[in-house]
Amino acid sequence: MAKEIIMPKFGFTQEESEIMEWLHSEGDSVEKGDPIAVVSTDKISMEVEAPETGTLSGIRYQIGEIVPVTEIIAYILQPGERLPEIKGIEKLSKIESPKVKKDQILITPIAKKLADENSLDIDAIKGTGPQGKITKTDVENSLALQRNFEPGKERATPAARKIGREKQIDLSKVSGSGPKGRIQAEDMKQQRSKRIDEKSVGKTIKTSIPMIGMRRTIAQNMKHSWNDAPHMTLQINIPMDELEILREELNSAKQSTAEKISLTALITKAVAVVIRRSPIINSQYTEKEIKILDQINIGIATALEDGLIVPVVHHADKKDIKQISDEIKDLSLRSKEGKLEPIDLTNATFTISNLGMYGIDSFMAIINPPQSAILAVGKMTKFFVPAENNLPMIQKIISFTLSADHRVMDGAQAAKFLSDLKEIILDPKGLID
Amino acid sequence: MREISYMEALREGLRQSMEKDDRVFLIGEDIGIYGGAFGVSAGLLDQFGPERIIDTPISEAGIAGACVGASVTGMRPVGEMQFSDFVVLAMEQIVMQGAKMRFMFGGKAELPFVIRLAGGSGTGAAAQHSESLENWFVHVPGLKVVMPSSPYDAKGLLLSAIEENNPVMFFEHKLLYKMKGDVPEEMYTIPIGKSKIVREGKDLTVIATSIMVPRSLEAAKILSKEGIELEVIDPRTLKPLDEEPIIKSVIKTGKALVVHEAVKTGGFGGEISAMIMESEAFDFLDAPVRRLAGLDVPIPYNRNLEYHAVPQVENIVEEARKIVQNIY
């Protein structure tokens, strides 16, 4: 019987993967264990291996398609074997692998079925049912909206079309606010004023970046966070001189850069220690409760060429400064090579984002859900400040900005965290025990 | 101005026409001693005598035939269909003869007759006494179709209809007979083929006929509190239709709803909708033109079912709201 190749599940919460590349074509002979496809989860690329030796056949998804985990993506055939009838298999696989319900997205069964059949991303659908439940009509509307983009087949009222003709607005570029995405006259008027804005700054599209993979994940997470979590931001300037002295002491004996303790490592350690005193910072918001977490896992936001990943230092409060520094270096190296494993990227409970190396003085970061807070670190700058005798002295100062979810905590709690952080950075001996 | 009922306005129009022009006479069932099934002609027998207020046997074909024949000889008869439903029996005379004679005689014959018909549901009179059949006659070349919705329009249009040299089907509504309104005592005419904007608004053009005009105005009052302003137009004459005010209004609002009591399928709403879409208003439509009309059923005897078989104020409110909010 034809051997099914299924989309593997790499992580606990992973629901789908995108086909990035087929390493073999249909008809190729493959050996058991050969990598046959590259797939991408939200964060990293993985290889799918041949489950058996034979001929690769019946590829069911093309590059760029997003496939739910455990879904059959292709088959391995032995000589004389035939592909199973796709229809039957589809039904079977549906029964065997009911897809995991997305977090907090309510959807009726018929709507879910319809969305699945049309590979529609339910994240992007706005539910109109009770508690925002996505109904069949919502899915249908969403599908109609997609169809709206068929050039020349846009759904539009005669009034909208008239404006389009007169003002030379391409209907395919307008998103409709009417039923099933129908373009109304008002939409055209808005589009027109938008277009005038664009014209005035000479804006034209140079290239288009498809919203897939990591870009899509970032977009969704940030949108959810920004829409759902009321962000409050608090800023504090902390003199870093004492921490710098400590770092020099720690590094004085070390020769190579590889061994040296980084400032990021020290800040990570300081944050982990301070979180122990303010457990509310290390929590997750849900509709029913705030979960204060036991583990302190610090994510370090890391820029990539075309996106952003957040490798995690697990149990940062329990590790010494050397361990943390080594771990961050290792994660950073592997992230640049694309060799991070799912475990490296999961279960962060708090995130640090440092843009100091770009010369940024201070900034406000968006909380990475389901976390409750994120710390934005600016660059170290020398300032003249009045010393005790009121004469100027130089201090190296970093501006720290905490974004915290106001549903979870209040200003005073966030302030306490920052003032504790300042205290430990001013007197950092406690960081080396 | 003096307030009288729709029924009184009609009676006054008939009386004044008969006083002014002795070619005018009334013919119908029980219109004399009894004063008409709804009392429109009450008292006229005493004033004008049985020569001019003619009670007939129960024969609608006879009434219509007499109107056709008398009119072609120069009289100005006003026939009454006690219930508009009974006009089925008079179709041969009205449609085959009355409507066509002028054309078949190369314009040499004039047929200045009026058929008054009491139409509409809401009285518990069941399937054979509650129909709204105006659109049958809209479909016949040679007939004019008039449908007043207020006492003022009733008198003014009736006087015009009697002065008209072609057959006029004059549809009254049973529930409107008691409606009161300002009516001048003197004779006045409202031209046939002139519509009326009965309420101005910016959000939706409602084209309503007969009893649906007051119901639409009621709905407009309710919606106004929500910030939705209906423009209500009463065509008053279905044929010939005064198209321009409707087109202008739809160009202004971008949306149109036709409301009538007659069943939707094959009803006048289809004609209005098509007219709008064929006109220059098409380019200004920002929603589909909708029709709110009677259900495709004979009017039920059960009063609750009868109520739900034709548009009521709440239905107009709901439908108008949906159109304005782009639900359709």
Side-chain angles (χ1 to χ4, degrees):
Chain A
M1 204 189 118
K3 180 76 184 170
E4 297 166 354
I5 306 172
I6 62 157
M7 177 60 80
K9 186 172 167 81
F10 301 107
F12 233 138
T13 58
Q14 181 204 348
E15 290 162 27
E16 57 192 23
S17 285
E18 183 183 339
I19 308 271
M20 302 301 285
E21 194 181 350
W22 282 102
L23 301 171
H24 287 278
S25 315
E26 285 190 16
D28 285 1
S29 298
V30 292
E31 300 252 327
K32 182 175 179 176
D34 277 357
I36 51 169
V38 180
V39 298
S40 155
T41 69
D42 290 351
K43 292 151 184 157
I44 48 168
S45 300
M46 303 290 284
E47 284 171 349
V48 180
E49 294 175 355
E52 206 172 87
T53 300
T55 307
L56 180 64
S57 303
I59 290 178
R60 298 182 57 201
Y61 294 95
Q62 300 308 312
I63 291 168
E65 285 195 84
I66 292 160
V67 185
V69 295
T70 74
E71 198 67 22
I72 298 161
I73 57 172
Y75 299 88
I76 302 283
L77 296 186
Q78 301 309 321
E81 277 184 350
R82 282 167 171 239
L83 283 173
E85 228 178 277
I86 301 296
K87 248 189 173 174
I89 290 296
E90 235 166 10
K91 269 188 199 149
L92 195 66
S93 68
K94 283 242 159 65
I95 295 160
E96 283 174 346
S97 60
K99 269 165 241 154
V100 185
K101 204 174 124 199
K102 293 221 175 193
D103 284 345
Q104 292 169 341
I105 294 180
L106 293 171
I107 180 163
T108 64
I110 181 82
K112 180 81 169 87
K113 181 164 176 279
L114 192 62
D116 290 347
E117 282 167 2
N118 291 284
S119 325
L120 202 63
D121 178 13
I122 62 168
D123 269 1
I125 305 173
K126 194 166 168 256
T128 59
Q131 286 129 38
K133 184 179 267 189
I134 299 168
T135 64
K136 185 172 165 229
T137 314
D138 297 329
V139 176
E140 282 169 351
N141 288 349
S142 193
L143 284 170
L145 202 62
Q146 284 191 340
R147 276 176 214 130
N148 224 6
F149 292 114
E150 247 178 78
K153 283 283 181 198
E154 295 80 11
R155 218 178 257 272
T157 67
R161 288 181 196 282
K162 180 170 194 281
I163 296 171
R165 276 195 308 276
E166 286 171 356
K167 311 293 180 201
Q168 293 176 335
I169 299 170
D170 184 353
L171 288 174
S172 65
K173 305 241 163 37
V174 183
S175 74
S177 63
K180 302 188 176 178
R182 185 180 67 203
I183 302 168
Q184 302 288 142
E186 189 55 33
D187 301 327
M188 298 297 282
K189 286 175 198 155
Q190 280 176 12
Q191 179 72 15
R192 199 177 160 232
S193 52
K194 214 186 327 178
R195 200 175 60 158
I196 290 163
D197 290 350
E198 283 176 8
K199 255 192 191 161
S200 60
V201 293
K203 198 169 157 192
T204 49
I205 293 169
K206 193 176 168 193
T207 47
S208 135
I209 299 165
M211 287 304 282
I212 52 171
M214 185 190 289
R215 197 69 256 151
R216 181 163 149 268
T217 308
I218 292 173
Q220 284 171 359
N221 286 347
M222 291 302 105
K223 184 188 81 180
H224 281 163
S225 177
W226 191 246
N227 288 346
D228 294 348
H231 282 55
M232 80 182 144
T233 59
L234 297 85
Q235 197 204 336
I236 194 166
N237 291 334
I238 305 182
M240 303 302 288
D241 305 82
E242 292 302 320
L243 198 68
E244 281 293 278
I245 291 167
L246 175 69
R247 187 158 79 103
E248 274 164 32
E249 276 171 19
L250 290 170
N251 289 341
S252 60
K254 292 172 177 124
Q255 298 293 316
S256 69
T257 6
E259 286 174 32
K260 285 186 178 171
I261 307 289
S262 67
L263 182 62
T264 306
L266 279 164
I267 292 171
T268 305
K269 176 71 185 170
V271 164
V273 168
V274 173
I275 283 177
R276 265 199 311 231
R277 295 192 217 159
S278 295
I280 193 73
I281 300 287
N282 203 53
S283 61
Q284 284 181 4
Y285 173 87
T286 67
E287 293 277 327
K288 288 190 190 133
E289 56 178 350
I290 295 164
K291 293 178 187 159
I292 295 178
L293 304 168
D294 169 27
Q295 287 182 18
I296 298 175
N297 304 328
I298 309 288
I300 315 281
T302 306
L304 298 178
E305 209 171 290
D306 53 357
L308 167 75
I309 51 171
V310 186
V312 184
V313 180
H314 295 91
H315 302 287
D317 58 324
K318 294 184 179 143
K319 288 175 179 162
D320 69 25
I321 192 74
K322 171 93 174 56
Q323 273 175 294
I324 290 175
S325 187
D326 290 349
E327 216 171 284
I328 291 173
K329 285 201 175 88
D330 171 58
L331 288 169
S332 160
L333 193 68
R334 283 195 289 126
S335 69
K336 270 158 201 151
E337 291 169 357
K339 284 185 181 162
L340 289 177
E341 316 246 336
I343 185 69
D344 297 327
L345 295 163
T346 47
N347 298 330
T349 60
F350 182 87
T351 300
I352 296 173
S353 178
N354 186 348
L355 294 177
M357 57 289 239
Y358 298 101
I360 297 302
D361 294 318
S362 71
F363 67 102
M364 183 222 150
I366 296 175
I367 299 163
N368 190 14
Q371 298 163 34
S372 295
I374 184 166
L375 187 68
V377 183
K379 78 162 197 241
M380 199 187 294
T381 312
K382 285 180 185 171
F383 281 102
F384 281 113
V385 295
E388 276 171 26
N389 52 13
N390 270 342
L391 290 174
M393 64 176 251
I394 291 176
Q395 266 184 352
K396 293 174 180 169
I397 287 174
I398 285 183
S399 178
F400 292 85
T401 308
L402 182 76
S403 298
D405 186 340
H406 211 328
R407 294 175 303 180
V408 173
M409 69 193 89
D410 305 319
Q413 290 164 303
K416 178 179 181 296
F417 168 79
L418 285 179
S419 84
D420 285 352
L421 184 66
K422 182 173 181 176
E423 190 185 308
I424 204 156
I425 289 175
L426 289 177
D427 182 13
K429 302 237 159 36
L431 296 179
I432 38 167
D433 33 40
Chain B
M1 204 185 290
R2 170 196 59 147
E3 251 196 16
I4 56 171
S5 72
Y6 185 96
M7 180 184 69
E8 286 162 345
L10 289 168
R11 186 190 301 144
E12 188 170 274
L14 291 170
R15 175 184 290 125
Q16 288 174 344
S17 291
M18 291 178 74
E19 284 169 350
K20 185 185 162 199
D21 185 344
D22 46 12
R23 292 173 298 170
V24 179
F25 70 92
L26 309 191
I27 181 165
E29 294 156 3
D30 291 330
I31 62 166
I33 298 164
Y34 188 61
F38 298 95
V40 173
S41 52
L44 297 183
L45 179 65
D46 293 341
Q47 187 180 344
F48 298 104
E51 282 267 309
R52 296 181 71 191
I53 307 292
I54 303 170
D55 264 329
T56 67
I58 301 178
S59 169
E60 284 74 17
I63 296 166
C67 286
V68 172
S71 69
V72 83
T73 62
M75 298 298 282
R76 306 190 87 85
V78 179
E80 180 181 295
M81 295 290 133
Q82 202 169 55
F83 287 85
S84 72
D85 314 65
F86 305 160
V87 78
V88 287
L89 293 153
M91 290 305 261
E92 200 278 336
Q93 289 301 317
I94 297 169
V95 177
M96 280 287 253
Q97 311 303 334
K100 297 177 174 61
M101 212 171 273
R102 183 187 190 115
F103 297 86
M104 293 175 73
F105 293 155
K108 287 180 183 165
E110 283 186 348
L111 289 99
F113 72 86
V114 178
I115 303 285
R116 292 178 40 248
L117 310 96
S121 67
T123 62
Q128 296 167 322
H129 297 72
S130 305
E131 289 170 282
S132 300
L133 301 175
E134 63 276 6
N135 210 43
W136 287 0
F137 301 97
V138 169
H139 195 61
V140 177
L143 300 177
K144 296 191 175 181
V145 182
V146 174
M147 232 178 163
S149 68
S150 70
Y152 178 84
D153 287 354
K155 181 175 169 185
L157 282 166
L158 182 63
L159 290 178
S160 280
I162 293 171
E163 284 178 11
E164 169 67 41
N165 285 336
N166 292 292
V168 177
M169 303 301 287
F170 194 90
F171 279 88
E172 299 158 13
H173 197 290
K174 296 192 264 301
L175 292 186
L176 289 176
Y177 282 133
K178 288 182 181 162
M179 179 196 204
K180 294 230 170 187
D182 292 342
V183 179
E185 284 180 46
E186 66 274 15
M187 288 180 88
Y188 63 93
T189 54
I190 291 169
I192 289 174
K194 271 305 244 195
S195 64
K196 183 177 177 184
I197 297 171
V198 285
R199 185 187 195 279
E200 288 194 21
K202 60 177 177 20
D203 297 316
L204 168 66
T205 302
V206 176
I207 302 105
T209 58
S210 191
I211 185 111
M212 294 303 154
V213 175
R215 284 184 192 166
S216 295
L217 290 173
E218 197 60 37
K221 252 191 235 168
I222 293 166
L223 287 167
S224 185
K225 288 179 197 141
E226 300 173 16
I228 295 172
E229 298 299 341
L230 304 187
E231 178 144 304
V232 182
I233 299 182
D234 177 4
R236 301 195 291 194
T237 304
L238 306 197
K239 192 176 185 179
L241 179 65
D242 185 14
E243 298 179 354
E244 202 182 316
I246 297 172
I247 294 167
K248 276 191 178 154
S249 173
V250 176
I251 288 174
K252 179 173 82 173
T253 63
K255 291 173 178 175
L257 168 66
V258 192
V259 190
H260 60 61
E261 177 171 340
V263 292
K264 184 164 161 177
T265 309
F268 193 61
E271 188 55 38
I272 298 259
S273 308
M275 183 278 288
I276 291 170
M277 283 185 272
E278 285 174 345
S279 78
E280 63 170 318
F282 176 79
D283 276 345
F284 297 87
L285 282 175
D286 210 18
V289 178
R290 301 278 305 181
R291 292 172 292 164
L292 185 62
L295 302 181
D296 269 323
V297 290
I299 297 296
Y301 187 38
N302 176 299
R303 293 302 288 263
N304 289 326
L305 295 178
E306 179 187 27
Y307 182 86
H308 290 292
V310 302
Q312 303 294 344
V313 174
E314 58 269 27
N315 307 126
I316 302 171
V317 167
E318 192 189 2
E319 186 74 2
R321 193 190 282 133
K322 281 185 181 169
I323 297 171
V324 171
Q325 293 172 346
N326 286 336
I327 307 292
Y328 293 119

